[in-house]
Amino acid sequence: MTQARQIAERLLDAQVDFLLAEVTGDRFAEVIARDVAAVLAVGDTIVFGDAVSLEQGEETVATVFDRIGGSPVIADTVGIFSDAIYDHIASNTEYTLGDVVDREPVEALLEKIFGMHQAQERILDRLTESPLVATVAARFVDKLIGDFMQANRERAEKIPGVSSLMSLGQSAANRAKKVADSTFVGDLAGKGALFALKRTNNAIRDMLRDAPVHSAAMEFWDLHADEPVAGLREYLTQKDLNELVQICYEIAVTTREKEYFGMLVRECVEVFYAKYSKHTLSAMLPELGLTADDISTEILRYGPAVIDAAKRNGVLAGLIRERLEPFFFSEQVLGILGGE
């Protein structure tokens, strides 16, 4: 048995050396290509729906959103990423906004948004239900009228004798407003605010449907399309961007924890499962835009550096030996080597 064990040790050493050679130099690329092809050949015989149940898919996706979506890594890097992006934008004058974003999809997006009349009607209708929004609209209308009156006053005051008449009229208007705030006329003011909101909504509705808003928006885009990307920093500070990103991240994290979000995720998984459950695992790769060469390329992009480091410090050889040693030193193999 001692001789059998010595043979087993030599075979184990040879097996470890062989496997290390498989992941060394050009041989590693050949092994990866061979093994990827073998895995895909096996995948061609396995139907996705047979290998993964709908319940398993739902649990996996839920775990991804729960664990990765709220992981400390993302939480720590959200602000860092926003600062890095701002720094790059702030210094980049090589590209224009038009180089980064094509005009055609922007035009299609704006055309779709301005053409969504049902959504616009619903939003405007819901706005009329808010007293505060009505007050804002009333102040907006008052502001427009006030500015108009001020402009006319400045012109009228240039005419002798008109200045005193304007002052008298303004004084009377102020007294009337004070009375309205403390009597039943205040109710009329509230109705006036609602009336102002409806008039404002009608103006917005007419503007979206009849005015050349889409053309104006595209003109605004064209004005910026030829400017350097760095010009975007003029719209907000680095602190503004950082805080906006943090707020959006907080919204995403808190929404992820809601039961309704889980229902949406499960519905998406069910739709995906219904569409692809009859595909084989290998047939799904083209649907994802991947090929065997893509998989091999990505493995070879990172694999050699990791394996070389593991070989240099002896970790890889130790792991291989640890996995194979129980087999070579098993009673069955020792018995075979001993001639039993």
Side-chain angles (χ1 to χ4, degrees):
M1 186 62 72
T2 301
Q3 184 179 7
R5 188 173 182 84
Q6 291 175 346
I7 296 174
E9 288 178 349
R10 292 172 59 190
L11 288 173
L12 176 59
D13 291 339
Q15 181 73 70
V16 171
D17 291 340
F18 173 80
L19 293 177
L20 288 175
E22 289 279 272
V23 294
T24 300
D26 295 337
R27 176 60 181 160
F28 183 51
E30 298 174 5
V31 170
I32 292 300
R34 178 200 67 192
D35 291 348
V36 168
V39 170
L40 293 181
V42 173
D44 240 349
T45 65
I46 302 174
V47 177
F48 173 66
D50 295 337
V52 181
S53 68
L54 175 59
E55 293 74 17
Q56 289 173 328
E58 291 176 346
E59 291 175 0
T60 298
V61 175
T63 299
V64 170
F65 278 104
D66 182 51
R67 304 292 174 81
I68 299 178
S71 66
V73 172
I74 296 181
D76 292 341
T77 55
V78 163
I80 298 174
F81 286 159
S82 69
D83 290 341
I85 291 173
Y86 189 91
D87 289 339
H88 182 67
I89 290 176
S91 61
N92 192 301
T93 57
E94 181 179 355
Y95 298 97
T96 65
L97 190 58
D99 293 331
V100 179
V101 182
D102 291 337
R103 189 181 193 277
E104 289 75 13
V106 173
E107 185 173 14
L109 175 63
L110 292 174
E111 184 175 359
K112 179 61 180 177
I113 292 174
F114 293 129
M116 296 170 62
H117 300 308
Q118 180 178 343
Q120 295 163 10
E121 292 286 347
R122 181 57 176 164
I123 292 172
L124 293 174
D125 288 342
R126 293 307 299 267
L127 286 175
T128 59
E129 300 174 10
S130 171
L132 183 58
V133 174
T135 301
V136 172
R139 291 182 178 177
F140 175 71
V141 173
D142 288 344
K143 176 64 175 173
L144 291 178
I145 296 175
D147 289 347
F148 175 76
M149 293 295 294
Q150 179 63 30
N152 287 336
R153 182 184 300 111
E154 291 175 356
R155 295 190 186 97
E157 287 177 345
K158 297 178 181 179
I159 303 174
V162 175
S163 178
S164 58
L165 291 176
M166 294 292 293
S167 298
L168 180 62
Q170 184 63 47
S171 177
N174 290 337
R175 286 196 301 273
K177 184 178 185 301
K178 185 178 296 185
V179 172
D181 290 339
S182 59
T183 66
F184 74 95
V185 183
D187 294 335
L188 296 179
K191 294 179 181 179
L194 182 60
F195 176 76
L197 176 59
K198 290 181 178 180
R199 292 297 300 270
T200 304
N201 285 351
N202 289 335
I204 294 173
R205 184 182 292 108
D206 293 341
M207 179 187 68
L208 291 175
R209 293 196 174 189
D210 300 330
V213 180
H214 178 265
S215 299
M218 289 310 303
E219 186 174 287
F220 177 80
W221 167 263
D222 291 335
L223 288 174
H224 291 76
D226 294 330
E227 295 182 359
V229 175
L232 295 175
R233 64 180 175 174
E234 297 177 6
Y235 287 92
L236 74 172
T237 65
Q238 187 171 32
K239 181 181 178 183
D240 289 334
L241 177 61
N242 187 287
E243 291 178 349
L244 283 172
V245 171
Q246 294 286 358
I247 291 171
C248 292
Y249 173 72
E250 183 65 22
I251 292 174
V253 169
T254 53
T255 302
R256 171 186 58 90
E257 299 170 352
K258 300 297 188 295
E259 181 180 355
Y260 183 72
F261 181 78
M263 294 171 56
L264 293 178
V265 170
R266 287 193 295 273
E267 180 65 24
C268 292
V269 173
E270 290 176 6
V271 171
F272 181 88
Y273 194 85
K275 181 175 178 61
Y276 294 105
S277 61
K278 301 302 182 183
H279 287 58
T280 65
L281 296 180
S282 296
M284 289 182 64
L285 288 179
E287 299 289 340
L288 298 173
L290 295 174
T291 65
D293 289 340
D294 295 328
I295 297 174
S296 298
T297 298
E298 293 306 313
I299 295 175
L300 292 173
R301 190 189 307 278
Y302 306 104
V306 175
I307 290 175
D308 286 345
K311 285 174 61 179
R312 286 195 301 270
N313 58 24
V315 171
L316 183 59
L319 289 173
I320 295 174
R321 181 176 296 275
E322 182 180 312
R323 300 298 187 276
L324 297 177
E325 192 174 65
F327 168 76
F328 283 101
F329 291 163
S330 65
E331 292 184 4
Q332 183 180 12
V333 172
L334 292 176
I336 293 173
L337 295 177
E340 297 180 4

